[in-house]
Amino acid sequence: MEAMTVSTSVSPADEFDRNVPRICGVCGDKATGFHFNAMTCEGCKGFFRRSMKRKAMFTCPFSGSCTITKDNRRHCQACRLKRCVEIGMMKEFILTDAEVQRKKDMILKRKEEESQREAQREALQPRLTEEQSRVIALLLEAHRKTYDDSYSDFQQFRPPVRQGPVTRSVTRASSVYSLQNQSSEDSSDSFNPTYDPMDLKLFDSSSLLMSQSSSSSDSSLASQSISMLPHLADLVSYSIQKVIGFAKMVPGFKELTADDQIALLKSSAIEIIMLRSNQSFSLDDMSWNCGSQDFKYRVDDVTQAGHTMELLEPLVKFQVGLKKLCMHEEEHVLLMAICLLSPDRPGVQDRARIEVLQDRISEVLQAYIRARHPGGRLLYAKMIQKLADLRSLNEEHSKQYRSISFQPEHSMQLTPLVLEVFGNEVS
């Protein structure tokens, strides 16, 4: 039989090229690597090892020149062994039983050491303490109880009246509002615009100048520059109530004096509303999407509530930057709590106590970022910078509020809630 002519030479480039097929130099089957100094398959590797260990002597029943293939390699052991030697397989490379055992032990030891290193890395991985996890859970619960992402309550507000021709959207919203006023006035879950001077729900601050007029004609406002004020007033008043509900569930807040609670809420409410509104802000069209088209708010809508671009341009820029941070919900609620518990707010008395509460929340936020937000090395610093941006927005909002409230025709559209908060604002 004609001798097999399979090449066993492998160039350095081919040796490391995964795309080049590896062929057993003995039988032509798919090779698994270099074994005993030659590229072979697992079958020929085992055959050579067994033959050398047994010191086997084979005799070819044919002419001593059989062609060895994958299919017939078991037919002639003599020519198969001969072929093994011809391609460079060497018995010196075969490990003894003791060496094989040592190699197995070494492999096992390396696996155990790697498992130990992995366990050590896991132990060193930043983790949240039980107390930190509890704080986060409380804040998440507070936010979810006070933020309805279905925006179903918006149907209870006075309808949005946008300047221009009356649209189907405005007409439909007006109809819904009228029906609800007739059928669900006594609902305990409805938006309640009434003013109770003894309730913390008085305190308002908002990115969209607001208020609820008690008996003004909505139709008469439609042709004025503040046609959106009644609707946005209801929206912001509603948001303030939710912010106060959130604040009451922030760990440590209710233990503060009533005066300090009021001071913190009056100064931070608008900032927290801006933070909360980022949840509905869309980068696609730079608007706040709160359900239906009726409740899709653009910059033009807010200008029709009396605000100018000096506030709205940086506000949109802030919303875009905050959105791009891709914060987790946990980070979002922690940032709101830090914003609320700012000891440098006007009118605050026990600054040291409030600073302790804020530092505690800040530590939880940093721990959460380390443990749960891969690649968030600079995130904390960026989030704190957003709080500085909010202070500037707060200041500009206060200026614009004062400008609007000085005009009697506008001031009469403001609710007692808004007047209480911004009219008595400490500057």
Side-chain angles (χ1 to χ4, degrees):
M1 298 177 70
E2 189 176 337
M4 184 177 178
T5 59
V6 177
S7 173
T8 60
S9 62
V10 181
S11 66
D14 291 342
E15 182 178 347
F16 297 99
D17 189 347
R18 296 180 181 272
N19 297 320
V20 174
R22 295 182 173 185
I23 304 300
C24 176
V26 178
C27 68
D29 195 2
K30 182 179 180 180
T32 58
F34 278 93
H35 306 296
F36 312 128
N37 198 45
M39 181 71 71
T40 69
C41 64
E42 287 296 314
C44 292
K45 177 187 78 171
F47 167 75
F48 182 75
R49 182 178 60 244
R50 291 190 300 272
S51 300
M52 292 297 101
K53 284 189 173 183
R54 296 171 185 170
K55 299 181 180 180
M57 301 293 292
F58 302 118
T59 301
C60 177
F62 306 104
S63 60
S65 57
C66 300
T67 300
I68 306 300
T69 67
K70 174 183 176 182
D71 297 325
N72 72 4
R73 61 192 180 192
R74 295 177 181 274
H75 296 173
C76 183
Q77 294 178 313
C79 290
R80 188 182 186 186
L81 182 59
K82 177 183 176 184
R83 183 63 185 163
C84 288
V85 175
E86 287 176 351
I87 67 169
M89 297 182 77
M90 303 171 63
K91 65 179 180 180
E92 290 79 9
F93 282 71
I94 299 175
L95 300 178
T96 64
D97 291 341
E99 290 172 331
V100 169
Q101 187 59 47
R102 282 198 298 271
K103 185 175 181 180
K104 288 181 178 179
D105 292 342
M106 185 180 297
I107 292 173
L108 180 60
K109 182 179 179 181
R110 287 175 180 172
K111 287 183 178 180
E112 290 175 348
E113 290 174 348
E114 180 58 32
S115 296
Q116 292 175 357
R117 285 193 292 269
E118 182 62 29
Q120 291 173 351
R121 284 194 294 268
E122 183 69 19
L124 294 174
Q125 183 72 17
R127 292 177 180 272
L128 294 171
T129 66
E130 184 176 339
E131 174 62 17
Q132 289 170 339
S133 297
R134 187 187 71 84
V135 169
I136 292 173
L138 287 173
L139 292 176
L140 284 174
E141 181 185 12
H143 178 62
R144 290 167 183 172
K145 283 185 174 180
T146 59
Y147 190 97
D148 178 12
D149 58 10
S150 72
Y151 308 105
S152 58
D153 288 339
F154 284 31
Q155 297 286 347
Q156 302 175 40
F157 304 160
R158 285 170 290 176
V161 181
R162 296 174 170 89
Q163 285 184 324
V166 177
T167 64
R168 184 177 62 179
S169 170
V170 171
T171 303
R172 182 173 66 253
S174 300
S175 300
V176 169
Y177 175 71
S178 299
L179 287 171
Q180 287 177 333
N181 278 346
Q182 295 170 14
S183 63
S184 62
E185 290 179 352
D186 297 329
S187 171
S188 61
D189 293 331
S190 298
F191 165 62
N192 182 6
T194 58
Y195 171 79
D196 179 357
M198 298 306 293
D199 193 335
L200 277 178
K201 292 183 179 179
L202 312 182
F203 307 114
D204 164 39
S205 14
S206 95
S207 66
L208 319 166
L209 214 329
M210 41 223 92
S211 71
Q212 300 152 242
S213 65
S214 57
S215 60
S216 298
S217 169
D218 291 331
S219 60
S220 66
L221 288 170
S223 60
Q224 299 178 19
S225 61
I226 57 168
S227 62
M228 283 293 289
L229 183 56
H231 175 74
L232 294 182
D234 286 355
L235 167 58
V236 174
S237 295
Y238 170 83
S239 299
I240 293 165
Q241 292 176 11
K242 298 302 181 181
V243 167
I244 293 170
F246 170 81
K248 289 179 177 180
M249 289 184 273
V250 171
F253 181 80
K254 291 182 70 175
E255 280 67 54
L256 299 173
T257 65
D259 287 343
D260 277 351
Q261 291 182 43
I262 291 171
L264 291 176
L265 282 167
K266 289 179 69 171
S267 299
S268 68
I270 184 173
E271 298 176 17
I272 298 174
I273 288 174
M274 290 177 179
L275 285 171
R276 286 163 63 94
S277 70
N278 192 250
Q279 192 164 331
S280 64
F281 186 77
S282 171
L283 292 175
D284 295 334
D285 56 5
M286 304 300 168
S287 67
W288 290 265
N289 299 314
C290 302
S292 69
Q293 282 296 114
D294 291 340
F295 309 125
K296 183 183 180 75
Y297 307 104
R298 298 180 174 84
V299 168
D300 286 347
D301 296 327
V302 190
T303 62
Q304 292 179 47
H307 284 297
T308 69
M309 294 307 294
E310 280 74 14
L311 171 66
L312 299 177
E313 186 175 344
L315 174 60
V316 171
K317 183 179 179 181
F318 168 82
Q319 296 288 350
V320 170
L322 190 65
K323 201 78 172 180
K324 288 184 176 180
L325 290 183
C326 299
M327 294 188 300
H328 299 174
E329 185 182 17
E330 291 84 350
E331 293 159 344
H332 191 87
V333 297
L334 286 163
L335 186 62
M336 288 194 296
I338 292 172
C339 180
L340 172 69
L341 297 169
S342 297
D344 59 342
R345 299 290 188 184
V348 167
Q349 300 299 317
D350 196 347
R351 298 181 184 275
R353 185 175 183 181
I354 296 170
E355 185 174 9
V356 169
L357 294 176
Q358 188 188 54
D359 287 346
R360 176 190 179 196
I361 302 295
S362 297
E363 290 171 3
V364 175
L365 175 57
Q366 293 178 74
Y368 179 88
I369 292 173
R370 288 193 299 268
R372 305 285 177 82
H373 202 135
R377 185 171 58 88
L378 300 177
L379 180 59
Y380 178 76
K382 292 177 180 179
M383 291 173 67
I384 297 304
Q385 178 58 48
K386 293 302 176 188
L387 296 182
D389 296 340
L390 281 171
R391 291 297 181 96
S392 298
L393 289 168
N394 193 342
E395 182 178 353
E396 181 60 34
H397 173 269
S398 297
K399 291 179 183 177
Q400 296 198 16
Y401 166 78
R402 287 193 292 269
S403 176
I404 292 171
S405 65
F406 287 159
Q407 304 176 54
E409 68 274 20
H410 294 172
S411 179
M412 65 185 298
Q413 303 299 328
L414 302 177
T415 62
L417 173 61
V418 175
L419 293 171
E420 169 68 20
V421 174
F422 298 116
N424 297 324
E425 186 178 48
V426 181
S427 57

